[in-house]
Amino acid sequence: MTVAVTPDDLLEFVERSPLAVAAHDKAAWLALFAPRHVVEDPVGGRPVVGGLYDRRGGSRGPHALSRFWDTYIAPRSIRFRYDGPDIVRGLDVVRNVTIEITDTAGVVLETPAYLLYELTTDSGPLRIGRLAAHWEVGPVVAQLAGFDRAHTRSIAQTNIRLLKYQGLGGAFAFGRAMRSVGNSGKAAVAELVSQAQAGSDDAVQLFGGAVVGNLTKVIASGDVVVSTCVGGEVPAVLFCYLDRRSGTVVGTDLFTAPEGVGLPR
């Protein structure tokens, strides 16, 4: 059965996620996700997959997502600041945010991010089928650097929770998330934009014929580079997918804001 939803419905629904996080309402947060879901947080790390048999949980269900909450959300105060307009396309919503995280040691982390919610009505009511959080692990880890008591406690507490809820494999997987296309990937995207603006047919075709420019807040996570931009004279968020062996852009996805929304400064 197909459920009719409006863009306002989608925006109201995705806002329930940060509200549940801020309220530390685990049950409400878990209920937002479809039975079969994928959470990539961060993109480039080990995905959390629901709907498969979970050996530790002993059944099919949101066991891995529950452990994700216990590892990363439960011990922290998390606040979202919105850096740009939310963009709705079909059942997808892109949010441009900065996540402010305060842990139990009192350390505050600032995490610029893009959140891509791919929603679904396959199981009836609106639910999250995939959540992709694009943020850079390295700069966040660097904020933990320090030899004062608070930073030392913060690192120790994080490591303990990683091992308790994710195991050694999960801890190593989080570390591997620091490896991304990085600055070279960002440079490849900037070069592609320049080529498109110079009239390169191949570059223009990769952008689907759109004129793209004014890249800001550029984030590399995994094999993806995401940035705020101007696309077709309106605010947009550009996702560029790279071949990690060649370092070249092999695909793009442009989310454009509705007409009447101001351009990014």
Side-chain angles (χ1 to χ4, degrees):
M1 179 179 67
T2 301
V3 179
V5 291
T6 68
D8 286 341
D9 292 332
L10 303 183
L11 292 173
E12 186 277 331
F13 180 80
V14 299
E15 181 61 18
R16 296 180 194 177
S17 178
L19 289 176
V21 167
H24 282 86
D25 191 336
K26 179 179 179 179
W29 188 75
L30 292 177
L32 297 174
F33 291 84
R36 295 185 178 182
H37 55 260
V38 176
V39 175
E40 299 175 72
D41 188 356
V43 169
R46 185 168 72 179
V48 176
V49 181
L52 304 177
Y53 177 78
D54 184 85
R55 181 175 56 84
R56 292 179 64 182
S59 66
R60 296 174 183 266
H63 304 292
L65 193 60
S66 176
R67 293 193 296 270
F68 176 90
W69 172 283
D70 293 336
T71 306
Y72 301 108
I73 300 176
R76 297 176 171 91
S77 172
I78 301 175
R79 186 169 69 94
F80 292 75
R81 301 200 308 265
Y82 298 97
D83 301 332
D86 296 329
I87 301 177
V88 177
R89 189 186 69 191
L91 288 178
D92 297 342
V93 180
V94 173
R95 312 196 86 175
N96 176 1
V97 303
T98 296
I99 306 171
E100 183 181 286
I101 304 168
T102 305
D103 65 15
T104 54
V107 175
V108 179
L109 306 175
E110 297 275 342
T111 310
Y114 295 96
L115 306 178
L116 171 59
Y117 295 86
E118 296 180 359
L119 306 180
T120 178
T121 56
D122 287 350
S123 58
L126 199 61
R127 292 291 183 265
I128 300 170
R130 175 175 177 255
L131 169 58
H134 295 262
W135 54 276
E136 298 184 356
V137 176
V140 174
V141 172
Q143 294 177 60
L144 288 171
F147 298 101
D148 59 274
R149 183 173 300 176
H151 284 79
T152 301
R153 282 179 56 207
S154 180
I155 292 172
Q157 290 169 358
T158 298
N159 289 338
I160 289 170
R161 297 189 82 87
L162 267 173
L163 291 171
K164 178 178 179 180
Y165 294 109
Q166 304 298 323
L168 277 174
F172 282 123
F174 182 80
R176 287 198 299 270
M178 294 183 65
R179 299 176 58 189
S180 73
V181 292
N183 290 332
S184 61
K186 295 177 184 180
V189 170
E191 175 61 23
L192 183 68
V193 169
S194 296
Q195 291 174 4
Q197 292 174 338
S200 165
D201 290 339
D202 290 341
V204 171
Q205 186 175 358
L206 265 176
F207 290 123
V211 178
V212 175
N214 192 27
L215 271 59
T216 57
K217 192 182 174 182
V218 184
I219 290 176
S221 55
D223 63 339
V224 190
V225 174
V226 190
S227 65
T228 301
C229 68
V230 176
E233 300 184 353
V234 296
V237 174
L238 175 66
F239 292 76
C240 290
Y241 305 95
L242 286 84
D243 182 315
R244 296 186 71 157
R245 292 184 178 180
S246 65
T248 58
V249 179
V250 295
T252 68
D253 201 2
L254 185 68
F255 287 78
T256 55
E259 292 185 8
V261 176
L263 293 173
R265 297 180 179 178

